[in-house]
Amino acid sequence: MLILGIETSCDETAAAVIKDGRQILSNIVASQLEVHSKYGGVVPELACRKHIENIIPVIDQALSAAEISLAEIDLIAVTRGPGLIGALLVGLSTAKAIAYAHKKPLVGINHLAGHIYSVFLEYPELSFPLLALVVSGGHTELYQIRGHGDFCQLGTTLDDAAGEAFDKVAKMLALGYPGGPIIDKCAREGDPQAIPFPRPYLNKGSLDFSFSGLKTAVAVYLKKKGPPVGQEIIPHVAASFQQAVVDVLVAKTFEAARQTGSNRIILVGGVACNSLLRKEFITQGQEANVRVYYPSPYLCTDNGAMIACAAYYLFGLEGIPAPSPPAYLELDAVADLPLA
Ligand code: KG4
Ligand code: ZN
C-alpha cells in the first residue's frame, strides 16, 4: 500500500511516500528556519505564506524522489490538527484538491498520532501496551497506548511545552532559533550542576508537567548576572537548564511507567532528538528494566513519513478506505485537536 503523507502544522512543509507502513520511499521537508529565525520563533502569518509557496513543489519532489506517480498512490494522509490553523489549512486544502482531482481516498491525521507512529517506521514489530512521552515545540504529554488508535492521556503540561522552554531560554541567551539543538550543543561545554534551577515536580504522583517557572528562574538568574551576561557562564546556564528539563521528563515518565506497569516506553517529538534525554532514558530504562525506543533524529522533528505511517496503522490495516469525497471534503482543520 502506497501512502502520500502531508504535514504543514507548524513551520515545516513536508511530504513523504511510504510503502506498507514502514518503507520510506521519500521524505521531503522544506524548513522555514530562515524565515522565522530572525524573530526567535515561528510567525504564523509568515508560516502560512511559506507553506503556500512550498506545498506543491514539496509534494512533487516527494513523488519524484519515490519514483511514484499520483495515479499509483493508494491513500492520501494529511495532518488536520493540532497546530497553527492557517498552516494546517494549507496542507488540508491541498490534500483535498489532489484527492478530489485524482479520485483518491483521503484521511485526516492527528499530528501527535504522527509523532507516536514515527517510532513504528523503525520498529514496526513494536507491540502494545506502550507508554509514550510526546515532547515537542507545542506539546509535552504522556499517553498510555493500548492498541492502534487507543490512546489514553496520563499527563500534560500545565503551561509551556518542553521544546518551547528550550526555544525561549535560547532566545534569552541570544543563541538563535530553534533553541533545542543549540542548547543541546552548547550544554556539552557547561556544568549541569553549576546552577540549581528548580525541578517542577508538582504534587507527588502527578503526571502533569510545568516548565514556565523554570523558564522564569533562568530569566531571573540572567537578570542578576547582567547585563551584560559573561559569555563564560552561558554554557553553564544551558547545561543546568537542560539537566532540569531532562530530570523532570525522566522522573515523570518512569513514574508513569511504574503507575501503569509499562515495560516499553517510546520517546517521540522534536525534543526526543536531545542527546542528554536519550542517554538518561536508556540509563533509567536499564535500571528499571524498561525498554526505551526513539526514532532517528530526522523522524523526531516534523515530517510527512510519520503522518503516512500513522494513516497506515489507523486506517490502512483493514484495507484501503473508499474514496468518498463528500465525507472528506467536510474534514476540518482543528488548532487544538485532542488525541484522546
Ligand atoms: O516536533 P517538532 O519538530 O515540532 C512540533 O511539533 O513542535 O519539535 C520542534 C521542537 C523545537 O522546540 C525544538 O527546539 C525542539 O523540538 N528540539 C530539541 C532538539 N531538537 C529539536 N530540543 C532539545 N534538544 C534537541 N536536540
Ligand atoms: Zn511536531
Side-chain angles (χ1 to χ4, degrees), residues 45-326:
E45 169 74 17
L46 298 180
C48 300
R49 288 173 187 269
K50 263 291 165 207
H51 282 311
I52 291 170
E53 274 174 39
N54 288 342
I55 186 79
I56 298 292
V58 163
I59 293 172
D60 279 347
Q61 270 185 56
L63 291 167
S64 61
E67 297 181 12
I68 295 288
S69 69
L70 256 178
E72 293 169 272
I73 292 290
D74 296 301
L75 175 65
I76 300 176
V78 62
T79 306
R80 62 178 286 250
L84 302 171
I85 193 69
L88 290 164
L89 281 168
V90 176
L92 185 61
S93 315
T94 309
K96 282 181 185 175
I98 295 173
Y100 191 75
H102 293 264
K103 299 190 172 55
K104 299 290 177 186
L106 170 71
V107 290
I109 298 293
N110 184 301
H111 183 75
L112 302 184
H115 277 304
I116 287 170
Y117 277 97
S118 65
V119 92
F120 281 80
L121 286 162
E122 293 175 321
Y123 299 98
E125 77 291 355
L126 256 182
S127 56
F128 300 102
L130 286 171
L131 181 71
L133 173 67
V134 185
V135 69
S136 70
H139 297 270
T140 303
E141 286 167 23
L142 276 166
Y143 289 94
Q144 189 183 28
I145 310 173
R146 293 169 293 213
H148 289 300
D150 185 357
F151 309 113
C152 169
Q153 192 184 78
L154 304 173
T156 185
T157 180
L158 303 178
D159 39 58
D160 292 0
E164 195 181 344
F166 269 96
D167 295 337
K168 287 180 177 163
V169 167
K171 194 173 177 181
M172 288 178 212
L173 296 171
L175 289 176
Y177 178 83
I182 307 172
I183 289 196
D184 193 345
K185 197 159 162 235
C186 178
R188 286 175 208 157
E189 313 298 319
D191 174 6
Q193 314 300 335
I195 308 150
F197 288 133
R199 270 70 172 156
Y201 290 114
L202 310 173
N203 52 323
K204 203 172 166 346
S206 155
L207 297 177
D208 287 330
F209 302 89
S210 165
F211 292 105
S212 80
L214 171 59
K215 189 186 68 189
T216 307
V218 175
V220 169
Y221 178 84
L222 292 175
K223 206 166 168 205
K224 258 197 242 155
K225 291 281 169 186
V229 176
Q231 286 302 304
E232 69 290 351
I233 69 164
I234 290 180
H236 299 312
V237 176
S240 302
F241 159 77
Q242 176 176 264
Q243 188 69 57
V245 175
V246 167
D247 283 356
V248 175
L249 293 174
V250 169
K252 294 276 177 179
T253 308
F254 281 85
E255 170 63 20
R258 205 188 52 73
Q259 285 184 19
T260 55
S262 306
N263 59 8
R264 276 183 300 267
I265 292 177
I266 62 170
L267 178 61
V268 296
V271 183
C273 292
N274 186 268
S275 52
L276 182 70
L277 188 64
R278 287 172 173 246
K279 199 171 115 216
E280 298 222 346
F281 259 78
I282 295 293
T283 309
Q284 276 292 318
Q286 282 161 351
E287 274 171 30
N289 211 12
V290 171
R291 179 89 200 265
V292 175
Y293 302 83
Y294 44 72
S296 298
Y298 82 104
L299 294 173
C300 288
T301 46
D302 292 349
N303 65 85
M306 69 185 197
I307 302 303
C309 184
Y312 176 79
Y313 288 99
L314 299 176
F315 294 94
L317 281 181
E318 316 220 312
I320 299 161
S324 44

